């Protein structure tokens, strides 16, 4: 059996769905953050697969930018989590209800 | 052979991703996520994106996951491992994920190029995108030489991405990536400054833990000298 574009796209979709499940299901902020990263990586896989099958390199350039921005985003997000932990002594989302109506 | 490696990498990736969200221990989750990234780098190699595979391992599996592990160990999250799972949220997320996958499956059925096999593609995979190569001579004059397809085919993946990123020739209406590249560097600068500002302890507002202990301790009762007399 040969590998088609649909195989790659399906794997990326499954990875994205797992990340989505993690964001909704977990209550630890750090795990939620990891799941968000996973969704970004699933989008990256889609980009690279389309870039290969379409014969363009522009998709790979986009993935390059996405990886860079994701790294910057992770550093800022983890700094926010550390600041929050200093203030509230917790990283569980159900304890962070200051903005709850 | 190709198919075997595809199933190996994608299967390992999905199993590791499931382990990330199902593990109670945050450190184990982070390690599983690292393996997810490594398997994805393997998939990138199979799609002949060698440069991105290297960047993925260096940046995401190396730098980002070390940062995650460092923060997890710094915050000491072991106390939360024994909380009960929320069944209702697990059900909701599973339902949402299955709905998403259903939509994607319907879309993939209708994708016109979806059944293109990877072995039917030409070996280099990437046609030439830039025909004119500007070249600056020693006396400052710029001449433009034509890049032939055979020259382009000899370039490796990294070389091609570099040429695409930094090319200045946009005569055929295609945009150049120089401006986004520079803006990304600005973004990283902003992120660096932001992290320093966020993590800086405000010494005037937050007392040190030792001061907190001293303040919260009950005042020591002075001994009554009248009892002895």
């Amino acid at each position: 059996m040969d590998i088609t574009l649909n195989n790659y796209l399906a794997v990326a979709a499954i990875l994205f769905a797992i990340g989505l499940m993690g964001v909704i299901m977990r209550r630890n902020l750090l795990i939620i953050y990891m799941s968000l990263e996973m969704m970004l990586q699933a989008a990256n896989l889609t980009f690279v697969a389309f870039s290969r099958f379409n014969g363009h390199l522009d998709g790979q350039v986009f993935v390059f930018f996405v990886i860079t921005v994701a790294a910057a985003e992770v550093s800022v997000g983890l700094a926010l989590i550390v600041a929050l932990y200093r203030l509230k002594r917790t990283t569980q989302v159900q304890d962070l209800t200051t903005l709850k109506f | 052979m190709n198919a075997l490696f595809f199933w190996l990498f994608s299967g390992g990736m999905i199993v590791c991703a499931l382990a990330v969200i199902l593990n109670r221990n945050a450190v184990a989750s982070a390690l599983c996520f690292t393996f997810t990234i490594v398997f994805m780098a393997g998939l990138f190699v199979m799609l002949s994106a060698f440069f991105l595979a290297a960047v993925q391992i260096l940046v995401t599996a190396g730098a980002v996951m070390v940062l995650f592990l460092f923060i997890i160990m710094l915050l000491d999250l072991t106390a939360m491992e024994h909380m009960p799972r929320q069944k209702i949220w697990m059900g909701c997320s599973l339902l949402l994920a299955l709905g998403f996958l259903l939509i994607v499956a319907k879309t993939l059925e209708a994708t016109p190029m979806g059944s293109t096999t990877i072995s039917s593609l030409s070996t280099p995979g990437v046609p030439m995108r830039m025909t004119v190569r500007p070249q600056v001579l020693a006396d400052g004059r710029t001449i433009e030489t034509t890049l032939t397809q055979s020259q382009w085919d000899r370039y490796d993946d990294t070389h091609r991405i570099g040429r695409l990123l930094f090319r200045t020739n946009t005569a055929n209406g295609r945009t150049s990536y120089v401006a986004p590249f520079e803006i990304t560097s600005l973004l990283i600068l902003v992120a660096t400054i932001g992290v320093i500002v966020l993590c800086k302890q405000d010494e005037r507002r937050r007392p040190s833990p030792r001061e907190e202990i001293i303040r919260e301790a009950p005042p020591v009762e002075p001994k009554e000298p009248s009892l002895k007399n």
Side-chain angles (χ1 to χ4, degrees):
Chain A
M1 180 189 169
D2 208 354
I3 304 303
T4 63
L5 175 62
N6 270 353
N7 289 121
Y8 280 101
L9 295 184
V11 166
I14 291 172
L15 194 69
F16 190 93
I18 292 173
L20 189 66
M21 275 179 71
V23 168
I24 294 170
M25 185 171 105
R26 297 303 299 256
R27 283 169 293 176
N28 190 339
L29 263 182
L30 282 157
I31 310 284
I32 290 177
Y33 212 63
M34 258 186 249
S35 304
L36 282 174
E37 278 296 305
M38 205 189 291
M39 288 156 84
L40 275 178
Q41 297 298 335
N44 279 353
L45 182 57
T46 317
F47 261 128
V48 176
F50 271 122
S51 139
R52 176 76 174 92
F53 280 84
N54 275 318
H56 290 201
L57 266 184
D58 301 61
Q60 298 197 15
V61 174
F62 261 88
V63 172
F64 177 73
F65 284 122
V66 169
I67 289 176
T68 318
V69 173
E73 178 219 320
V74 160
S75 61
V76 175
L78 287 177
L80 277 173
I81 291 177
V82 168
L84 202 62
Y85 186 78
R86 279 201 191 128
L87 206 64
K88 299 268 188 183
R89 293 280 146 199
T90 181
T91 57
Q92 300 291 99
V93 281
Q94 76 264 24
D95 297 332
L96 306 170
T97 52
T98 316
L99 287 177
K100 202 171 178 181
F101 180 60
Chain B
M1 200 61 185
N2 222 340
L4 176 73
F5 274 110
F6 172 81
W7 294 116
L8 191 72
F9 285 140
S10 55
M13 188 173 79
I14 286 167
V15 167
C16 286
L18 276 175
V20 170
I21 64 167
L22 292 179
N23 230 319
R24 309 306 299 265
N25 189 345
V27 178
S29 283
L31 287 177
C32 288
F33 189 61
T34 314
F35 275 105
T36 310
I37 298 299
V38 171
F39 281 127
M40 183 173 280
L43 283 181
F44 281 3
V45 168
M46 292 189 55
L47 289 164
S48 57
F50 305 108
F51 172 70
L52 285 180
V55 165
Q56 182 86 326
I57 288 190
L58 286 177
V59 176
T60 315
V64 170
M65 290 322 292
V66 165
L67 201 62
F68 260 111
L69 274 174
F70 180 71
I71 298 295
I72 288 170
M73 290 177 177
L74 184 77
L75 297 189
D76 188 24
L77 306 173
T78 48
M80 301 146 189
E81 285 173 23
H82 305 295
M83 295 176 70
R85 293 183 191 277
Q86 285 175 313
K87 291 278 186 290
I88 177 165
W89 287 114
M90 284 181 84
C92 278
S93 60
L94 198 63
L95 216 63
L96 197 66
L98 287 180
F100 171 76
L101 284 180
L102 194 71
I103 295 171
V104 171
K106 283 288 179 194
T107 315
L108 289 188
E109 271 180 18
T111 312
M113 60 177 296
S115 49
T116 318
T117 58
I118 197 162
S119 52
S120 68
L121 302 174
S122 56
T123 314
V126 182
M128 186 166 58
R129 279 289 158 196
M130 184 181 62
T131 51
V132 177
R133 176 172 58 176
Q135 197 173 7
V136 182
L137 298 180
D139 55 353
R141 282 185 301 128
T142 304
I143 57 165
E144 293 188 338
T145 53
T146 309
L147 198 65
T148 59
Q149 181 74 45
S150 64
Q151 276 177 315
W152 179 256
D153 285 345
R154 272 205 310 277
Y155 291 159
D156 54 7
D157 184 57
T158 314
H159 198 145
R160 286 177 188 160
I161 289 183
R163 288 206 168 268
L164 195 59
L165 257 181
F166 297 117
R167 72 168 168 203
T168 50
N169 170 34
T170 55
N172 49 1
R174 298 171 61 81
T175 51
S176 158
Y177 292 104
V178 175
F181 188 82
E182 297 296 331
I183 293 169
T184 310
S185 72
L186 196 68
L187 180 80
I188 292 176
L189 178 70
V190 170
T192 313
I193 296 171
V195 166
I196 293 172
V197 169
L198 278 173
C199 277
K200 203 166 75 68
Q201 284 262 26
D202 197 348
E203 293 295 336
R204 288 161 305 174
R205 271 184 41 210
R206 292 200 60 78
S208 68
R210 175 177 282 273
E211 283 171 339
E212 269 179 5
I213 291 168
I214 292 172
R215 193 183 303 159
E216 285 167 12
V220 181
E221 296 286 333
K223 291 266 192 228
E224 302 263 339
S226 55
L227 285 175
K228 205 186 270 180
N229 296 339

